Amino acid sequence: MQNQRQSIHGTWSSQWAFILAAAGAAVGLGNIWKFPYIAGENGGGAFVLIYLGCVALIGIPLLMAEILIGRRGKRNPVNTMEDISEEIHASRQWRFVGWSYVLCGFLILTYYSVIAGWAFDYILQSASGIFAHASAEQVGHLFTQLTNKPLKLMAWHSVVMLITMLVVGRGIRAGIEKAIYFMFPGMVMLLLILVGYSMETGAFIDGVNFLFKPDFSALTRQGSLVALGHAFFTLSLATGSIMMYGAYLSDEVSVTRGAVAIAIADTGIALLAGLAIFPIVFANHLEPSAGPGLIFQTLPIAFGHMPYGTFFATLFFIMLVFAALTSAISLLEPAVAMLMERYQFTRAHAVYLAGFVCWFIGLGTVFSFNYWQDIKIFGMTFFQCLDYLTANIMLPLSGLMVAIFVVWVMPKHHSLDELKLPHTALYHCWQLTTKYIVPTAIMMIFLDFMGII
Ligand code: PHE
């Protein structure tokens, strides 16, 4: 039984457009900023292994589930969940999972855009040559000088939001696709150049050992939750991005191939980013576990002491901006589509409203680094709270609900229809994993983290 629904926003022009757009959504600050530093904080290789396990066992089946649900519903996540539930006579309350998706993506964008703004600022700083031969103190000072200036942060945050709104405002093919065709290949090229540079000039073997030699004694319980939360975050799961992009996918395209391609591109790029960063860090005898400041503080010191460092540091931050923008675009689209489909906004009005509210809430993150840095909720700043709430709580829990929905609630022939796997054995594999392994893994890591088991 094929469904007759059509997306009112049109479809991707080809399978590749979808894969590039979804890979662009997946590859972002998470891969280049967050992955290397959380790997650094959690001991490297062992953490990487757990993370790869989470991507393969939980990430790919969930990517498939989200794309197939999106394509079946062909609406924003809220309407998609509502329509499908109605069609199969399940409770309409499933739409709240859709709400959680859209809300979570939206909340992430509020701070994502602020951090992406740092990358913009760093393009100018690196190009000015200010990092050349700078000491750790000087670079640290430059970083706090940036985060201490709310107006500057606000200006960059506004630039990121404006570009994102401009692209999303032009729609699927004229906006999102065009931007991705330019930014994604540009980002991959720059990254490859940087890996080549790091192989030539950095302590490459040390970097490889750090990323791939597992030392399980360095892995903590909390580290596993971080790995799981990050697998969700980096694959853009449970935020509406992937489900929304799936809604624009035409019916002939293979969901499975798309999901695997996205996971491989995303993981490959995270590892390449690690291979670009750690050898440079080690070559300068710096610490890999510097936390969130790794690429904004440690890396510029390292570049500052390398041949052609100014040039390559600038390339690095341009690459980071491309990666961040393709993700930001995918974070805004679900909220915009939701306003259009549910509340009959025009695309332009939806973009203004969603963009403005997002920009406004983002000010909370801007102030978390200066005016409000001493205001703590559960010991965390506003920004840390948002990050914690979205990445560690909302993403795994709403992802769990979608896994339950797709295999326990949706009739089997719907997923069979959408996945069109060549062998039924493969279908059963997906079904069993999604039915048992995904929920068990999410629950165990979650309960363990809450101290319940
Ligand atoms: N996956 C993106 C990253 O790794 C972040 C993101 C999350 C983008 C959710 C879209 C949706 O940076």
Side-chain angles (χ1 to χ4, degrees):
M1 183 182 68
Q2 271 307 336
N3 79 73
Q4 302 300 318
R5 281 187 275 259
Q6 290 297 331
S7 162
I8 60 166
H9 313 285
T11 54
W12 302 111
S13 56
S14 68
Q15 150 172 258
W16 283 106
F18 165 71
I19 292 180
L20 277 190
V27 175
L29 293 171
N31 302 60
I32 297 157
W33 167 62
K34 204 167 179 187
F35 173 75
Y37 92 71
I38 54 178
E41 281 180 337
N42 289 288
F47 174 86
V48 174
L49 254 172
I50 303 268
Y51 158 78
L52 291 179
C54 288
V55 168
L57 272 181
I58 303 174
I60 293 181
L62 269 180
L63 273 174
M64 290 165 69
E66 289 201 3
I67 302 172
L68 88 85
I69 291 178
R71 182 163 74 178
R72 186 139 201 112
K74 295 203 168 46
R75 294 276 180 280
N76 69 86
V78 184
N79 287 53
T80 283
M81 292 302 285
E82 196 170 53
D83 291 354
I84 296 182
S85 316
E86 230 157 57
E87 183 188 349
I88 60 179
H89 307 295
S91 161
R92 279 187 70 225
Q93 308 313 333
W94 282 103
R95 72 178 183 284
F96 287 111
V97 177
W99 275 111
S100 159
Y101 265 46
V102 176
L103 183 69
C104 193
F106 190 75
L107 289 178
I108 290 177
L109 182 57
T110 66
Y111 65 82
Y112 203 82
S113 156
V114 177
I115 314 269
W118 298 358
F120 262 104
D121 191 71
Y122 267 64
I123 296 180
L124 298 189
Q125 294 210 33
S126 328
S128 77
I130 204 165
F131 297 133
H133 307 292
S135 66
E137 289 75 44
Q138 285 164 331
V139 173
H141 184 65
L142 287 173
F143 183 65
T144 33
Q145 247 190 356
L146 169 67
T147 53
N148 271 341
K149 287 204 185 110
L151 269 182
K152 200 168 188 188
L153 291 183
M154 211 192 284
W156 286 123
H157 166 50
S158 314
V159 169
V160 176
M161 282 310 304
L162 279 177
I163 299 179
T164 308
M165 289 162 69
L166 212 78
V167 172
V168 173
R170 297 176 63 99
I172 313 304
R173 291 197 186 180
I176 303 183
E177 261 191 50
K178 280 223 173 100
I180 303 277
Y181 277 150
F182 166 68
M183 292 183 197
F184 194 79
M187 181 213 50
V188 174
M189 237 177 55
L190 291 177
L191 181 60
L192 290 177
I193 295 176
L194 284 158
V195 173
Y197 173 72
S198 140
M199 270 171 130
E200 278 298 306
T201 50
F204 200 68
I205 301 297
D206 294 343
V208 171
N209 280 342
F210 180 74
L211 271 179
F212 297 110
K213 222 178 185 178
D215 167 15
F216 283 96
S217 64
L219 188 71
T220 58
R221 283 166 151 231
Q222 173 128 15
S224 318
L225 182 83
V226 174
L228 173 71
H230 187 66
F232 270 89
F233 183 82
T234 189
L235 293 174
S236 300
L237 289 168
T239 53
S241 293
I242 295 292
M243 201 184 268
M244 196 69 248
Y245 279 6
Y248 305 145
L249 188 61
S250 55
D251 287 322
E252 325 72 66
V253 175
S254 158
V255 167
T256 314
R257 207 177 307 144
V260 173
I262 298 165
I264 291 179
D266 186 67
T267 314
I269 288 183
L271 294 176
L272 281 177
L275 287 181
I277 293 171
F278 288 119
I280 299 181
V281 169
F282 289 131
N284 290 279
H285 311 290
L286 296 164
E287 272 304 307
S289 55
L294 179 67
I295 65 168
F296 292 106
Q297 288 173 289
T298 312
L299 203 59
I301 309 173
F303 274 125
H305 291 86
M306 316 268 295
Y308 308 108
T310 296
F311 176 69
F312 285 100
T314 313
L315 288 193
F316 182 87
F317 289 106
I318 296 178
M319 171 199 68
L320 189 60
V321 160
F322 280 165
L325 284 175
T326 53
S327 296
I329 292 167
S330 78
L331 285 164
L332 188 61
E333 176 64 20
V336 166
M338 197 269 291
L339 288 173
M340 292 171 70
E341 291 165 0
R342 250 186 127 72
Y343 304 107
Q344 283 73 48
F345 277 63
T346 60
R347 183 167 277 272
H349 287 156
V351 166
Y352 292 140
L353 180 67
F356 176 76
V357 177
C358 197
W359 175 84
F360 186 75
I361 302 177
L363 296 184
T365 293
V366 166
F367 299 147
S368 298
F369 295 97
N370 33 73
Y371 297 145
W372 294 355
Q373 62 184 337
D374 296 322
I375 302 181
K376 301 272 165 81
I377 321 162
F378 299 114
M380 294 179 282
T381 61
F382 179 82
F383 159 63
Q384 287 166 332
C385 268
L386 268 187
D387 181 30
Y388 189 89
L389 174 74
T390 49
N392 293 354
I393 299 177
M394 287 174 84
L395 295 188
L397 285 188
S398 47
L400 172 68
M401 297 306 285
V402 160
I404 293 175
F405 181 78
V406 79
V407 282
W408 295 90
V409 181
M410 249 171 119
K412 199 170 149 183
H413 64 266
H414 282 197
S415 46
L416 248 175
D417 249 16
E418 292 292 336
L419 289 178
K420 291 192 200 77
L421 284 165
H423 304 291
T424 37
L426 274 179
Y427 177 78
H428 288 304
C429 222
W430 170 79
Q431 208 198 20
L432 286 178
T433 318
T434 315
K435 214 168 192 169
Y436 300 108
I437 299 184
V438 172
T440 315
I442 298 179
M443 285 309 285
M444 266 178 47
I445 297 185
F446 197 75
L447 293 178
D448 177 25
F449 173 71
M450 304 292 276
I452 297 172
I453 53 171

